[in-house]
Amino acid sequence: MADPELILDLPWVPQEPERLDGLTVRRGRHNKLSYDDGITLEVCIVDPGGHRTLDELLDELGRQGGAGRVALVAGAVPLQWRSQLRAADVSFIDVSGVAEIRWPRLKISARRLGKPAQRRTVSVPMQKSHALIAQELLITSLSGVRVTIGDIALGTGASLSSVSRSIAQLAAQGLVAKEREGRDLVVSVVDAVELANLLAERSAWGRGEVLWGYLWGRNTWDVAARLSLKAAERHASLAVTGRVGAAFYGIVGTASPPTVRCWVDTSASSLSDVAGLLGLEPAPEDEANVGLSADRWRIGMHRREERTFEEWKATVAHPIRVWCDLRDEQRGDEFAAQMWGLISDVS
């Protein structure tokens, strides 16, 4: 007899099927629970990161109920909420792998879901303009905007031939689809989670040239604001990313990160020249509070915006880029899960 199968469209869920005490869990394009007798239920995901209190979360869960549906709290579930969720028979899966499932015919407690995924090899380049094209596709797709190859070229500044070639390679892997509408060729993302994971793996902050330095500030947020102001004054292009960038979108932890990670445009200047313009003092990585990563293809600059967090204002990378750059930071998976909820709702 086959196990019931839980399929979740979440980036941190294992791509390969994983058995969890009588339940098979894997990543897919639809949130659903399938039993071995053919019954299938829709799984309504509730992101704990979008609720300030447990009562707000429970109210949202109450609105998600109904025939043919089950609710699941999935994401960064605060430790102090978990015992109360268990007592209320609320099913949840935390990004760390802790899982509690209380659904019809299922009662599961697990301390660890997730293992290094055996990813399929995807022969899609992400160097040069390809990463920028993939990022723009994700931004438009998650915003619900229908785009053509010409729209992507216009939005990224890439040539039509580069966009066409990149789209063809993504389509060959089943990540995007092309559909003719009159004279236009409309492009849509088929698997946003897979494309986002691929983009993060191939283009995350720090994969290229990085320079470390120190800039005085009252705290991390103040340093981010000072960097942004100096960049504007001295005609340098910069975008804050990672955990500090996430804070400017409302994703904040209990302690501030030690380093402000920034993308900087090095198309006209060297990384050391930009650091000088920003007033950074050279410092080894373990003593630095600023890290600059060379952004030769402007993936960090693309659709950056001015954001305010409390009293500080900074130039911050787009939420999708911030999500891509979180993974190797302390508690990065937790912050990435919360960012994904933001991206899915409001990108």
Side-chain angles (χ1 to χ4, degrees):
M1 182 179 294
D3 288 342
E5 184 178 54
L6 175 61
I7 300 175
L8 298 173
D9 189 24
L10 295 169
W12 45 271
V13 171
Q15 185 179 42
E16 299 298 320
E18 182 170 340
R19 196 167 187 274
L20 188 68
D21 194 19
L23 176 69
T24 297
V25 183
R26 67 177 176 86
R27 192 193 320 149
R29 298 176 189 172
H30 304 284
N31 298 311
K32 64 181 181 179
L33 172 66
S34 300
Y35 290 95
D36 56 2
D37 57 5
I39 294 176
T40 298
L41 303 177
E42 177 189 358
V43 178
C44 300
I45 301 293
V46 178
D47 179 10
H51 301 83
R52 292 175 298 175
T53 67
L54 179 59
D55 286 341
E56 283 186 5
L57 178 69
L58 294 175
D59 287 344
E60 175 66 19
L61 287 167
R63 292 191 291 271
Q64 295 293 341
R69 307 169 73 184
V70 291
L72 177 68
V73 176
V77 183
L79 285 170
Q80 63 269 27
W81 290 5
R82 296 180 190 177
S83 62
Q84 296 176 72
L85 292 174
R86 292 187 185 100
D89 282 336
V90 172
S91 297
F92 69 85
I93 296 180
D94 181 70
V95 67
S96 68
V98 175
E100 294 285 343
I101 304 296
R102 299 292 184 270
W103 287 332
R105 290 185 272 168
L106 287 172
K107 188 174 182 179
I108 295 168
S109 294
R111 303 269 75 75
R112 188 68 189 167
L113 166 69
K115 57 187 176 183
Q118 300 298 314
R119 294 184 54 79
R120 61 188 176 97
T121 301
V122 179
S123 56
V124 176
M126 282 290 166
Q127 71 274 25
K128 298 185 178 180
S129 62
H130 293 287
L132 182 59
I133 291 164
Q135 187 168 299
E136 176 69 1
L137 277 168
L138 280 168
I139 291 170
T140 54
S141 174
L142 292 170
S143 301
V145 177
R146 293 171 63 81
V147 292
T148 66
I149 287 178
D151 295 330
I152 295 294
L154 185 62
T156 60
S159 68
L160 282 169
S161 60
S162 293
V163 175
S164 296
R165 187 165 53 252
S166 185
I167 296 299
Q169 291 166 329
L170 292 170
Q173 297 293 333
L175 297 173
V176 305
K178 299 181 287 184
E179 181 182 357
R180 179 68 65 180
E181 290 188 359
R183 299 177 61 182
D184 293 328
L185 191 62
V186 176
V187 183
S188 59
V189 175
V190 175
D191 192 339
V193 167
E194 184 70 7
L195 182 57
N197 274 320
L198 181 65
L199 179 65
E201 289 172 5
R202 305 278 182 86
S203 69
W205 185 95
R207 290 183 67 89
E209 183 184 3
V210 174
L211 185 149
W212 300 96
Y214 179 85
L215 181 71
W216 184 88
R218 290 178 290 157
N219 52 41
T220 305
W221 328 117
D222 189 38
V223 172
R226 289 170 183 267
L227 285 168
S228 299
L229 181 60
K230 284 178 179 287
E233 290 175 344
R234 299 175 186 183
H235 306 291
S237 294
L238 167 151
V240 176
T241 191
R243 277 191 54 190
V244 177
F248 283 87
Y249 286 106
I251 309 299
V252 186
T254 54
S256 63
T259 306
V260 182
R261 295 185 171 191
C262 301
W263 290 101
V264 292
D265 182 6
T266 54
S267 58
S269 304
S270 69
L271 198 56
S272 59
D273 286 343
V274 176
L277 287 173
L278 297 174
L280 289 188
E281 300 175 16
E285 181 178 351
D286 59 351
E287 297 177 12
N289 66 352
V290 176
L292 305 181
S293 187
D295 190 14
R296 291 186 176 87
W297 304 106
R298 297 185 64 81
I299 55 174
M301 301 299 109
H302 188 57
R303 294 184 182 263
R304 61 183 177 155
E305 59 182 283
E306 296 294 323
R307 302 286 302 186
T308 300
F309 171 60
E310 296 182 356
E311 65 186 270
W312 299 283
K313 181 181 291 185
T315 305
V316 185
H318 188 276
I320 285 178
R321 174 46 43 192
V322 172
W323 178 83
C324 288
D325 297 336
L326 277 165
R327 297 187 170 194
D328 70 335
E329 293 207 60
Q330 186 178 23
R331 296 172 61 198
D333 287 345
E334 175 184 331
F335 286 96
Q338 294 183 60
M339 281 298 300
W340 188 259
L342 173 70
I343 291 165
S344 301
D345 288 341
V346 300
S347 251

